[in-house]
């Protein structure tokens, strides 16, 4: 079964998914491996690997490490065309549909399409929407796009619908890594009601309470990165919360 089919199946069953985001731009692999071991013990549903900047590309080592330890799906979340590795289970193919930068709407896709097809990796197209979190995050700066205003639910709904109509298989509402506030429940709720494809929400999630609020509002999957680097227990608390929502709704 494809990874996308598994994600769709979870959505149909009302199972909420917890994804750990790993930045491949790291020198301290030992620490990352410890965090990954914790996430495996906590039964996260997916790993996303990707980032905006690369000084040190440890992507292949990290994918190989996870694959040697578990069957939990490893999905690339490329911030640029250098982040390709066919040993991962799938790759996201993001278009920054909140912005108007043609490179991130079609240019980079053309550059990497041949390589992706050649690699045989499962490719999941993604409508990636940056939402203003009150701070210029790395991803805002790097994409050279303006985010959708925090409270402008109507633009968010129309953008997400447009992404789905263009054939994107998932929509991601992104507050940006380390965002001071997460996406509002109102926006998540309205966007989720207006699309049929899975809805992913990430950026600034630090507590099980925030995770619960986001999933109750209608997200199908949450992505957590930063907060896991400094708190070893958090992944266990998040997993218990996310997977109890699953039990409640099935
Ligand atoms: C970034 O949404 C993700 O793409 C995760 O953000 O690092 O703030 O959890 P955090």
């Amino acid at each position: 079964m494809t990874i996308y089919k598994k994600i769709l199946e979870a959505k149909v069953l009302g199972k909420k998914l917890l994804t750990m985001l790993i930045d491949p731009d790291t020198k301290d692999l030992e620490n990352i491996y410890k965090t990954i071991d914790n996430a495996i013990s906590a039964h996260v549903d997916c790993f996303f690997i990707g980032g905006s900047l690369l000084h040190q590309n440890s992507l292949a080592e990290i994918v190989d490490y996870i694959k040697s330890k578990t069957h939990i799906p490893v999905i690339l979340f490329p911030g640029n065309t250098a982040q390709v590795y066919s040993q991962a289970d799938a790759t996201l193919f993001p278009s920054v549909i909140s912005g108007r930068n043609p490179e991130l709407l079609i240019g980079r896709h053309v550059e990497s399409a041949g390589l992706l097809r050649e690699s045989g990796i499962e490719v999941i197209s993604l409508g990636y929407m940056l939402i203003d979190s009150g701070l210029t995050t790395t991803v805002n700066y790097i994409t050279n796009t303006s985010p959708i205003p925090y409270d402008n639910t109507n633009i968010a709904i129309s953008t997400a619908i447009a992404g789905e109509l263009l054939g994107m298989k998932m929509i991601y509402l992104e507050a940006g890594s380390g965002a001071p506030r997460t996406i509002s429940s109102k926006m998540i709720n309205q966007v989720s009601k207006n699309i049929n494809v899975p809805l992913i929400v990430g950026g600034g999630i630090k507590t099980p309470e925030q995770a619960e609020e986001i999933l109750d509002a209608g997200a199908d999957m949450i992505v957590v990165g930063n907060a896991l680097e400094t708190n070893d227990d958090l992944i266990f608390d998040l997993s218990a919360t996310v997977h109890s929502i699953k039990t409640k709704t099935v």
Side-chain angles (χ1 to χ4, degrees), residues 80-95:
N80 54 54
T81 51
Q83 295 173 35
V84 179
Y85 186 52
S86 63
Q87 296 307 305
D89 295 301
T91 184
L92 300 175
F93 197 43
S95 298

Side-chain angles (χ1 to χ4, degrees), residues 21 77 128 172 174 176-179 202-205 223-227:
L21 174 68
F77 181 26
Y128 187 62
Y172 193 131
E174 170 74 275
S177 194
I205 301 171
V223 179
V224 185
N226 256 328

